[in-house]
């Protein structure tokens, strides 16, 4: 295992302590910074393998820290956000963060997400089997025709609903990444507040059924218990 530390940028001592303890118990070495500027300095000094970054920091925002980091580093970044309905989530992902966790979170969820991102990141350079051609996203037998909101599998139209299409698009553009039900609702649903965990599960179920009917061997959606769903790259 690499000895490079995880950098935790978090100003609230109690939360920082919990995170540092959880990560160290899990075998990581940890560097803690209490402000955005300290975090940026630590990035240079410690050369971390992973950054856990609070959005609400006392000097500069986590978003600004993320922008600065991305100017010079591809290190995986996981945001900590304070509120359930923060628009920040989507903004954070657009800034080049790899994931986010909403406070309060369990230390176990946090470390599980860090492991999932590191696995994806450390395997990522092998080259995706997901390709984009003429504005379509393709993976194995599956093609999303983006400008027509249509999905085909082995050239058969899947008859996707808008939410099924939306989830497949999010999945295929972020293979191997674990999305929680909340994240899927935020990214895909027009009114996330009106949807529930069960809504997402119900659409995943119909989506799997549609794929299965066309190709019984093609089962790219993976369930992660307690976390959510991800999309496998083609074999
Ligand atoms: Ca904070």
């Amino acid at each position: 295992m690499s000895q490079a530390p995880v950098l935790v940028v978090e100003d609230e001592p109690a939360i920082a302590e919990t995170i540092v303890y959880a990560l160290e118990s899990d075998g990581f070495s940890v560097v803690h910074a209490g402000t955005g500027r300290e975090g940026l300095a630590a990035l240079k000094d410690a050369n971390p393998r992973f950054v856990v970054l609070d959005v609400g920091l006392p000097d500069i925002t986590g978003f600004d820290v993320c922008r600065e980091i991305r100017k010079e580093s591809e290190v995986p970044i996981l945001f900590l956000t304070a509120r359930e309905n923060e628009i920040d989530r989507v903004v954070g992902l657009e800034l080049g963060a790899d994931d986010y966790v909403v406070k309060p979170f369990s230390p176990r969820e946090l470390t599980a997400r860090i492991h999932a991102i590191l696995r994806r990141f450390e395997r990522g350079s092998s080259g995706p089997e997901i390709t984009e051609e003429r504005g379509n996203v393709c993976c194995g037998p599956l093609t999303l025709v983006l400008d027509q909101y249509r999905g085909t599998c082995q050239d058969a139209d899947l008859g996707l609903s808008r939410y099924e299409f939306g989830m497949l698009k999010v999945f295929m553009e972020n293979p191997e990444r674990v999305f929680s039900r909340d994240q899927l609702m935020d990214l895909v649903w027009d009114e996330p507040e009106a949807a529930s965990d069960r809504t997402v599960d119900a659409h995943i179920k119909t989506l799997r059924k549609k794929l299965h009917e066309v190709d019984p061997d093609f089962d790219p959606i993976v369930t992660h218990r307690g976390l959510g769903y991800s999309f496998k790259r083609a074999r």
Side-chain angles (χ1 to χ4, degrees):
M1 198 196 225
S2 159
Q3 291 304 303
V6 175
L7 171 60
V8 176
V9 189
E10 165 65 64
D11 59 309
E12 287 170 64
I15 296 175
E17 226 168 85
T18 306
I19 297 171
V20 170
Y21 179 77
L23 289 173
E24 288 182 344
S25 305
D26 212 38
F28 291 105
S29 64
V30 182
V31 172
H32 171 239
T35 67
R37 287 188 217 290
E38 268 178 46
L40 287 171
L43 184 82
K44 290 199 174 70
D45 295 343
N47 191 25
R49 67 193 295 216
F50 197 99
V51 180
V52 177
L53 181 55
D54 186 29
V55 170
L57 293 167
D59 53 348
I60 48 177
T61 71
F63 296 140
D64 290 332
V65 175
C66 181
R67 267 189 214 101
E68 285 302 312
I69 293 176
R70 278 290 170 263
K71 284 182 189 166
E72 47 195 85
S73 170
E74 289 296 309
V75 63
I77 299 174
L78 178 137
F79 271 127
L80 305 176
T81 75
R83 285 191 311 278
E84 186 63 31
N85 286 322
E86 232 167 11
I87 181 83
D88 297 350
R89 309 179 149 189
V90 180
V91 174
L93 299 184
E94 282 169 1
L95 283 175
D98 295 271
D99 207 346
Y100 65 83
V101 168
V102 179
K103 296 175 185 177
F105 50 85
S106 77
R108 209 182 68 86
E109 184 193 353
L110 183 76
T111 52
R113 286 203 169 269
I114 291 175
H115 281 297
I117 295 166
L118 282 173
R119 272 197 302 276
R120 194 173 80 226
F121 189 79
E122 279 156 13
R123 191 176 46 199
S125 51
S126 60
E129 290 83 4
I130 292 177
T131 56
E132 293 190 34
E133 289 169 28
R134 288 163 304 199
N136 299 339
V137 189
C138 313
C139 176
L142 183 62
T143 299
L144 283 190
V145 187
L146 296 185
D147 58 0
Q148 296 173 16
Y149 294 89
R150 219 157 54 82
T152 64
C153 191
Q154 296 184 355
D155 296 326
D157 193 299
L158 288 166
L160 298 177
S161 73
R162 60 186 297 199
Y163 295 134
E164 290 161 358
F165 175 88
M167 286 196 294
L168 262 187
K169 181 168 182 288
V170 167
F171 283 141
M172 290 175 73
E173 289 175 345
N174 301 277
E176 310 283 343
R177 172 180 191 145
V178 181
F179 288 93
S180 69
R181 292 165 177 82
D182 280 343
Q183 289 174 323
L184 288 169
M185 282 187 264
D186 276 350
L187 292 166
V188 176
W189 265 254
D190 294 331
E191 295 173 48
E193 319 78 50
S196 76
D197 287 4
R198 295 228 176 113
T199 315
V200 172
D201 291 343
H203 283 82
I204 291 279
K205 195 172 166 191
T206 56
L207 178 55
R208 277 181 165 146
K209 188 155 168 275
K210 287 177 183 179
L211 292 170
H212 185 82
E213 276 168 8
V214 178
D215 184 347
D217 296 325
F218 184 57
D219 186 18
I221 299 171
V222 183
T223 304
H224 300 264
R225 275 190 67 194
L227 289 176
Y229 299 101
S230 71
F231 188 91
K232 274 196 302 225
R233 292 176 202 273
R235 280 152 296 174

